[in-house]
Amino acid sequence: MPDTLTRCSVCGALLDEEDLFCANCGTEAPKTEQPATTTRAFNSKYNFECQGCGASMSYDASAQTLRCPFCGSTKLDEQQDAKTLEAEFVVPFVLSEGEALARLREWLGRGFWRPGDLAQAAIVTKLTQVYVPFWVFAAKVFTYWTADTSQTPSGAMAGWYPLFGENGNDYTGVLVGASSVLTPTETSAICPFDLGAAVPPDQVDLANVVYEQFRVQRKYARPLAQSALEDLERRACTRHVPGNCRNMKVNVRVQDLTGQPALLPIWICAYRYRDRLFRFLVNGQNGQCTGTAPTSVKKIAAATALAIAVVVLLLVIVLAMLR
């Protein structure tokens, strides 16, 4: 698809329709009567909104009993057909339901602070294939950096020595979640995805799958993308510092920032433990998982009691030595 979206005349960053100024360099956006856009909309059917968590989804047309994969609620309000943002590409599922369920059971059994019976007592509603919306950003960056290195010149009195330099990179595939339900922590933990396996949306039957609609506009995702680019540059510049590095500071100039809407595959499950609701996610491509889990009150109480006992014992020993 040709890039016809308005660009900043100074830094070349993309401008969305409502932008008055370039978010990258602050240049005033050109005034146009009908701003062009690179994103397209299509008529979405079988739309539902969850009363429990507010998720807006398009459901499998053949589904009989509907349940929100994000919170497990069955209270879904049917919505009218509506125009929604069309993804430019879709990454298909690779992991089967059985493989995703095995990852869930393995994950539930991890962690010392979790209840010992979590894997057996957790009530798993259903693992659901969901295509979750993401923005995929790309940009050119140029960075000035300063830092301290532990490798000091011969004869130096201090333990650290200041350095500075420049770095440039081209980044692609920087992901920012566009879900209205999943948190940035969750969407970040489920990455990465192999975007090389993506296919055009017309090669996926979106009428017979569950996908969440885009609820985060590109203009609101851009600051998160720029923050991610700064983190990437901070790590890249650290590699230029010999020895140990501290006080790494980066001044990043972003050019030609572009963002494409995409649907990525995630197995989602809402499970209950002792009447409390938790969520589990599995990357539908590589099996990487994340989620929330309860903590064992008994284990925390036992650890606290043990810590207090150790402190009391140490005090007794110190007092005995002072006599």
Side-chain angles (χ1 to χ4, degrees):
M1 184 187 301
D3 180 12
T4 57
L5 190 67
T6 305
R7 288 180 175 269
C8 173
S9 59
V10 175
C11 69
L14 291 178
L15 303 175
D16 285 308
E17 294 182 7
E18 299 177 1
D19 287 342
L20 299 178
F21 298 91
C22 173
N24 187 49
C25 69
T27 302
E28 184 176 4
K31 296 180 181 180
T32 56
E33 295 183 359
Q34 294 183 340
T37 180
T38 58
T39 56
R40 296 180 298 184
F42 73 104
N43 195 37
S44 177
K45 299 181 178 181
Y46 313 112
N47 302 318
F48 293 85
E49 183 172 311
C50 176
Q51 294 183 13
C53 64
S56 295
M57 299 159 287
S58 294
Y59 255 93
D60 183 340
S62 62
Q64 300 298 318
T65 302
L66 299 183
R67 183 184 296 273
C68 176
F70 297 96
C71 69
S73 174
T74 56
K75 297 180 180 180
L76 302 180
D77 291 335
E78 186 171 2
Q79 306 293 309
Q80 295 182 348
D81 294 356
K83 292 289 184 180
T84 187
L85 181 66
E86 181 182 10
E88 293 191 19
F89 57 85
V90 180
V91 175
F93 276 87
V94 175
L95 232 65
S96 67
E97 182 176 4
E99 291 171 319
L101 186 59
R103 299 294 176 100
L104 170 61
R105 290 302 179 187
E106 178 188 358
W107 180 84
L108 288 174
R110 299 178 193 166
F112 173 78
W113 298 108
R114 296 179 183 178
D117 64 343
L118 179 60
Q120 293 75 32
I123 301 175
V124 179
T125 54
K126 187 179 186 298
L127 271 168
T128 305
Q129 281 186 334
V130 182
Y131 283 101
V132 176
F134 280 77
W135 286 102
V136 183
F137 286 93
K140 296 179 180 179
V141 299
F142 186 81
T143 302
Y144 293 98
W145 61 266
T146 62
D148 296 333
T149 175
S150 61
Q151 288 192 4
T152 59
S154 177
M157 301 296 292
W160 296 91
Y161 184 75
L163 290 178
F164 64 92
E166 301 176 359
N167 189 66
N169 268 317
D170 290 346
Y171 289 101
T172 59
V174 178
L175 297 176
V176 175
S179 168
S180 62
V181 183
L182 299 183
T183 65
T185 300
E186 288 177 309
T187 53
S188 176
I190 210 68
C191 295
F193 290 85
D194 178 13
L195 301 180
V199 298
D202 57 8
Q203 294 186 20
V204 178
D205 187 8
L206 294 179
N208 290 292
V209 297
V210 180
Y211 65 91
E212 186 186 2
Q213 298 171 2
F214 282 83
R215 284 296 178 263
V216 176
Q217 298 178 28
R218 177 168 44 203
K219 60 184 288 187
Y220 298 119
R222 284 186 315 213
L224 296 177
Q226 290 174 326
S227 178
L229 289 169
E230 287 184 4
D231 289 340
L232 290 170
E233 274 298 278
R234 191 173 291 108
R235 291 196 290 270
C237 293
T238 299
R239 291 193 287 269
H240 295 310
V241 179
N244 295 326
C245 173
R246 74 172 188 179
N247 296 333
M248 171 58 70
K249 306 294 183 183
V250 293
N251 186 356
V252 182
R253 187 178 74 220
V254 181
Q255 293 181 314
D256 297 333
L257 181 66
T258 62
Q260 297 176 290
L263 291 174
L264 305 184
I266 299 179
W267 285 98
I268 301 179
C269 170
Y271 72 93
R272 290 187 176 274
Y273 178 80
R274 301 190 187 280
D275 295 327
R276 294 179 60 194
L277 184 68
F278 302 92
R279 185 160 56 223
F280 174 75
L281 311 174
V282 183
N283 185 313
Q285 191 180 46
N286 60 28
Q288 186 162 317
C289 53
T290 188
T292 55
T295 54
S296 173
V297 176
K298 293 181 179 179
K299 290 182 179 180
I300 293 176
T304 303
L306 180 61
I308 293 174
V310 170
V311 171
V312 171
L313 179 61
L314 290 174
L315 288 175
V316 171
I317 294 174
V318 171
L319 291 175
M321 293 175 63
L322 293 176
R323 290 178 181 176

